[in-house]
Amino acid sequence: MITPKIISNGILRALATILIIVAILYFLYEIQTVIVYLVISLILCLIANPLILFLKNKLKFSNSWAATTTLIIFILTMIGFFLLFVPLIISQANNLSLLDTDSLQKQLMATGRAIETYFNIQHLDLNEVLRESKITSKLDFSYFTGFINSIMGFMANMGMGLVSIFFITFFFIKDQEVFKAGAKKILPDNNEDKILNSILKINHLLTRYFIGLLLQLTVVFILYLIVLIIFGNKNAFVIAFLCAILNIIPYIGPIIGTILAGILTMISLIGSDFQSEILPHTIYVVIGFLIVQAIDNNISQPIISSKSVNSHPLEIFLITIISGITFGIVGMIIAVPVYTMLKVILKEFFPDNKIVSVLTERI
C-alpha cells in the first residue's frame, strides 16, 4: 500500500538524486580545463605509444628515460613548428616596412573614386564627415589597453596549459603500468576483461583515426601548396603548411585558413596595382582554397569519420558542435577521440542497452 510517507520519501530521494547530478555536472563544468588537459595528455600518450614501445623494447630504455625522450621529441617538434614560421613573419614584416604609403594612398583614393563613379555616388569628404560626427570624442581608447592585456593573458594561460599537459603526459607515460595495476585493484574482477577489451579497441580505433587525420592533412597540404605555387605566392610552403594544420579544427579551421591565405597574399603583393595584381591574385587563391575544401569535405572527411572511427558523419558533426559550444576550439579538436572512447566503453559495459546498441552498432 502506497502511503503519503512513501510518496514523500520517493520525492525526497528523487530531488536528492537530481541535486547530486547537478552538483557533479557543475563540478565538471568548473574543472573543464583540467579535464581538457587530461584528455589531451591521454591522446598524446596514445600517439606516443609506438615510439615508447620502440624505446623500451629495442633500445632497452627505462620508463623514466622513455618518457623523458618522448617529451623532448614533442617539445622539439613544437619548437620546430614555430621556427618554421619565422621566415614568413620576417617576409611579411619586410613587405610592410618597404611599403610606399604615398602610392598606397593614391591607389585607395583611385579605387574609391572608381567605386563612386560605378555606383553613381556623390563625392564624400571623409574628413568633413568625421569632423561633423565627432567620432574621435566617442572613442574609448581603453579598449586597446584591454585588448593587449587579453593577449598577454592568453599567452600566459597557453604557457601554463602546455606545462601542465607535458607534466601530466610524463607521468602517464612513465607510470602507465602502475595506473593499470591500480585500476585493476579498484574495479571489480569481473570487469577486468571488459576493461582490457575497451583499451585494445580504443587503441585500435584512435590509431586508425590519427593515421587517417595525418593522411588528410597531408593531402590538404599538397593541394594548398599546388594552388599557391600556381599563382606565384611567396612562402607557399609555409602558408600551405599553416593552413593545413588549421584543418585540425573541424569546420572553423578551413575557413580561418582561407581567410589567412587571402590576407597573406594581399600583404605579399602590397605596392602592386590593386585592380590588376592584388585583387585578382587574392580571388584566385581563395577560389583555389575553396575547391580544396570541397574535395576535402566530400572525400577525405567522410573517410575519416565513417571508416576510421566507425561513426556516422552526422554524429561527428553534432558531437563536434556540442563540444565546441562547451569547451571551445580545444573541445572541437578532441571531440572525435573522446566520443570514440566513450562509445567503446559503453559498448563493453552496457551492450544490452537499446540506445547504446544503436550508437555503437558499427563498432
Side-chain angles (χ1 to χ4, degrees):
M1 182 177 177
I2 300 176
T3 62
K5 184 177 180 180
I6 295 175
I7 295 173
S8 61
N9 288 337
I11 293 173
L12 289 175
R13 281 196 297 270
L15 289 174
T17 303
I18 293 172
L19 288 174
I20 291 172
I21 293 172
V22 170
I24 292 173
L25 291 175
Y26 178 76
F27 176 73
L28 293 175
Y29 177 78
E30 287 295 318
I31 64 167
Q32 59 179 296
T33 304
V34 178
I35 295 173
V36 170
Y37 291 166
L38 290 171
V39 172
I40 294 175
S41 299
L42 184 59
I43 291 173
L44 288 177
C45 288
L46 291 173
I47 295 173
N49 258 338
L51 176 61
I52 296 167
L53 293 175
F54 173 79
L55 293 174
K56 287 183 179 179
N57 298 334
K58 300 295 182 180
L59 302 182
K60 306 301 180 182
F61 278 30
S62 65
N63 289 338
S64 298
W65 276 110
T68 303
T69 304
T70 303
L71 282 186
I72 290 173
I73 292 173
F74 278 148
I75 293 171
L76 291 177
T77 302
M78 187 176 66
I79 293 173
F81 174 78
F82 283 113
L83 290 178
L84 183 65
F85 298 103
V86 172
L88 175 63
I89 296 170
I90 294 174
S91 173
Q92 303 307 325
N94 288 334
N95 288 332
L96 293 174
S97 64
L98 296 174
L99 178 62
D100 185 351
T101 54
D102 293 335
S103 175
L104 180 61
Q105 184 178 4
K106 292 178 181 177
Q107 292 174 15
L108 291 175
M109 291 176 64
T111 304
R113 285 194 296 269
I115 294 172
E116 289 175 4
T117 303
Y118 184 81
F119 290 101
N120 195 23
I121 303 174
Q122 292 183 352
H123 178 68
L124 297 175
D125 187 345
L126 291 179
N127 291 328
E128 184 65 26
V129 171
L130 290 174
R131 186 164 54 252
E132 290 180 359
S133 63
K134 298 180 180 179
I135 192 170
T136 53
S137 63
K138 299 176 183 179
L139 290 175
D140 183 9
F141 291 98
S142 64
Y143 167 80
F144 298 101
T145 305
F147 179 71
I148 294 173
N149 290 335
S150 65
I151 292 177
M152 297 297 293
F154 171 77
M155 296 297 293
N157 290 333
M158 189 174 71
M160 190 180 76
L162 287 174
V163 171
S164 302
I165 288 169
F166 284 136
F167 185 80
I168 296 170
T169 304
F170 174 80
F171 286 103
F172 272 4
I173 295 172
K174 175 179 174 293
D175 298 327
Q176 55 182 308
E177 297 299 329
V178 176
F179 292 140
K180 290 178 183 178
K184 289 181 180 180
K185 290 180 181 178
I186 295 172
L187 297 172
D189 293 336
N190 57 349
N191 288 327
E192 185 172 338
D193 292 337
K194 295 180 180 179
I195 295 170
L196 294 176
N197 287 334
S198 298
I199 293 172
L200 289 174
K201 286 184 179 179
I202 289 171
N203 263 318
H204 175 66
L205 289 173
L206 290 187
T207 300
R208 287 173 57 185
Y209 171 74
F210 288 120
I211 291 174
L213 183 60
L214 181 61
L215 290 174
Q216 179 203 1
L217 296 181
T218 303
V219 171
V220 170
F221 164 71
I222 293 172
L223 294 176
Y224 281 163
L225 183 61
I226 292 172
V227 170
L228 293 171
I229 290 175
I230 288 174
F231 298 112
N233 201 300
K234 298 177 182 178
N235 300 303
F237 181 88
V238 179
I239 296 174
F241 184 77
L242 174 60
C243 294
I245 292 296
L246 286 171
N247 266 44
I248 293 177
I249 307 172
Y251 310 113
I252 297 177
I255 298 174
I256 298 174
T258 302
I259 295 172
L260 181 62
I263 292 173
L264 292 176
T265 300
M266 294 183 71
I267 292 175
S268 65
L269 294 171
I270 281 180
S272 303
D273 182 70
F274 182 79
Q275 291 185 351
S276 63
E277 292 288 335
I278 297 178
L279 186 60
H281 275 77
T282 304
I283 291 174
Y284 294 150
V285 168
V286 170
I287 291 174
F289 271 52
L290 292 176
I291 293 172
V292 172
Q293 289 172 23
I295 295 171
D296 179 52
N297 291 334
N298 290 284
I299 298 175
S300 304
Q301 292 257 3
I303 290 175
I304 290 178
S305 62
S306 61
K307 301 294 182 182
S308 61
V309 295
N310 297 329
S311 294
H312 193 277
L314 182 59
E315 285 182 78
I316 301 299
F317 176 78
L318 293 176
I319 291 300
T320 303
I321 294 300
I322 293 171
S323 299
I325 293 172
T326 308
F327 298 106
I329 291 178
V330 176
M332 296 180 74
I333 295 173
I334 66 174
V336 175
V338 173
Y339 180 60
T340 302
M341 293 165 63
L342 290 175
K343 283 176 67 174
V344 170
I345 293 170
L346 289 172
K347 185 176 180 64
E348 285 295 326
F349 284 88
F350 307 101
D352 299 327
N353 186 280
K354 292 182 179 180
I355 298 176
V356 172
S357 63
V358 170
L359 290 175
T360 60
E361 62 181 354
R362 302 175 68 181
I363 296 181

